[in-house]
Amino acid sequence: MGRWIPYIVVSLIWLALSWHAAAQHHYRRLLWWLGCWGLATLTWTPVAFSFGSDTVGQVTTHWIAGGIWVLRPFERASMDTSFWLNIVMTMPQGMLLGLNWPRLRWPQWLLAGLATGLTLETGQAIGNWLVSLGRWVDINDVLTNCLGIVLGAGLMWWVRQRTQVRK
């Protein structure tokens, strides 16, 4: 049960932010906070999902602060199905970024993507250290999460451009 405490605390924060957005009738912002909660659910629970091959022993790993860390990006064995799913996982949040803050441009998308990837992986690292969460902290996840945010925001920008041309 103790391994769930960080996720429960974060969920209560997301719930409060979502409730506030809904009470203010800011439904786009509500979707943003629900998206943040969804990413936290996928990355900060003590339930690990594996969609790739067995990469243990094939990827250079380090045991740091109660968890396995991957610090070398783009090793061949680490570019499995889960590598690509990390991009897909964060694209909706990138689209919500573009929907909520349409004046942002690609440098801000890149910063938001890096912040997202670093936040998710830092949360996993802290969870490993505090409650033995059992999640891998992977530089590839930071990079793929960032790419997903940028692609999602770019897709939303493209949709906006196409709808403006039609008007």
Side-chain angles (χ1 to χ4, degrees):
M1 176 62 183
R3 291 173 39 175
W4 286 90
I5 291 174
Y7 171 70
I8 292 169
V9 169
V10 167
S11 291
L12 291 173
I13 293 168
W14 295 142
L15 178 65
L17 292 168
S18 297
W19 187 270
H20 179 71
Q24 300 279 326
H25 303 287
H26 294 150
Y27 299 115
R28 290 180 181 177
R29 198 63 48 92
L30 170 63
L31 290 173
W32 170 260
W33 293 122
L34 290 175
C36 290
W37 178 76
L39 289 174
T41 300
L42 290 170
T43 58
W44 294 346
T45 58
V47 179
F49 303 99
S50 177
F51 297 102
S53 58
D54 182 20
T55 59
V56 177
Q58 300 172 16
V59 175
T60 306
T61 60
H62 306 278
W63 184 263
I64 302 171
I68 297 173
W69 288 57
V70 176
L71 301 173
R72 188 178 299 167
F74 305 120
E75 285 187 292
R76 186 176 180 94
S78 67
M79 296 177 72
D80 56 10
T81 306
S82 64
F83 178 91
W84 303 104
L85 288 175
N86 267 306
I87 297 169
V88 172
M89 172 182 82
T90 51
M91 279 183 69
Q93 199 66 9
M95 293 172 73
L96 288 169
L97 177 74
L99 187 65
N100 276 288
W101 297 280
R103 295 183 194 270
L104 296 180
R105 295 294 173 242
W106 76 265
Q108 289 100 355
W109 303 342
L110 184 61
L111 287 174
L114 282 172
T116 299
L118 289 170
T119 299
L120 294 175
E121 294 305 302
T122 300
Q124 289 179 339
I126 292 170
N128 286 340
W129 177 59
L130 290 176
V131 295
S132 300
L133 194 58
R135 303 300 294 255
W136 284 37
V137 179
D138 190 341
I139 187 63
N140 292 300
D141 292 352
V142 173
L143 298 173
T144 54
N145 294 159
C146 179
L147 181 58
I149 294 289
V150 170
L151 289 174
L155 180 61
M156 185 56 65
W157 175 84
W158 181 79
V159 167
R160 284 183 181 273
Q161 295 300 312
R162 299 287 296 172
T163 56
Q164 287 177 358
V165 167
R166 290 185 183 168
K167 290 182 180 179

